[in-house]
Amino acid sequence: MKDYTFNIRIAKEDLDTIRANAQKVNMTTTAYLINRALCDNQILVLEDLRPVCHELRKIGVNINQLTMLAHQGRIACVNLTELSEGIAKLWQPLNLLTERTKPMKR
C-alpha cells in the first residue's frame, strides 16, 4: 500500500529522460523510479527478439516435418548437424541473456 508522497526538485531535462525511460520499459514513472531505487539489478529492455523467435519457429517447423516423415516411414535416418548448429547459435545468446537478467518486480 502506498501511503506516502515524496516530492523532489528535478531539472526538466532529467524528468523528460526519466519519463522516456519509464515509457520504454512500459512502466509508470513512479514504478520505474521505485524499481531503480530498490532493485540491485538494472532494468533491461529487449528491443527486438523477432529474429530469434523467427529462427526458433523455423527450427520447430523443421523438427515437426522430420517427425512426420519418420512416422510415415518415408525417412529412417536424418543428419541433424545443421539443426544442431542452428540451435547452438540461438542458445548461446539466450543463455547469456538469462544469466545477466533476473525477474523484475513491478
Side-chain angles (χ1 to χ4, degrees):
M1 179 172 98
K2 296 179 184 175
D3 54 353
Y4 289 98
T5 301
F6 179 73
N7 296 314
I8 61 169
R9 294 183 57 80
I10 188 170
K12 182 177 180 347
E13 297 81 23
D14 293 338
L15 180 60
D16 292 341
T17 301
I18 291 169
R19 285 181 174 157
N21 288 342
Q23 188 175 17
K24 282 181 190 176
V25 294
N26 198 25
M27 296 175 79
T28 65
T29 305
T30 301
Y32 176 79
L33 288 172
I34 291 171
N35 225 308
R36 289 290 292 173
L38 298 179
C39 294
D40 290 335
N41 56 336
Q42 294 182 342
I43 296 173
L44 177 67
V45 178
L46 303 175
E47 290 294 331
D48 193 7
L49 287 177
R50 285 189 197 118
V52 174
C53 292
H54 179 73
E55 288 299 318
L56 285 173
R57 260 188 240 106
K58 285 174 38 180
I59 290 171
V61 167
N62 288 341
I63 291 171
N64 287 340
Q65 289 173 345
L66 291 171
T67 303
M68 200 166 41
L69 291 172
H71 284 303
Q72 292 173 353
R74 295 173 62 188
I75 59 173
C77 185
V78 178
N79 182 355
L80 297 177
T81 304
E82 286 184 41
L83 184 63
S84 179
E85 289 170 359
I87 290 172
K89 284 180 185 177
L90 291 173
W91 175 251
Q92 290 170 350
L94 288 175
N95 193 31
L96 283 174
L97 180 65
T98 56
E99 286 176 4
R100 292 181 185 171
T101 60
K102 296 177 184 175
M104 184 174 61
K105 297 178 184 175
R106 284 198 178 196

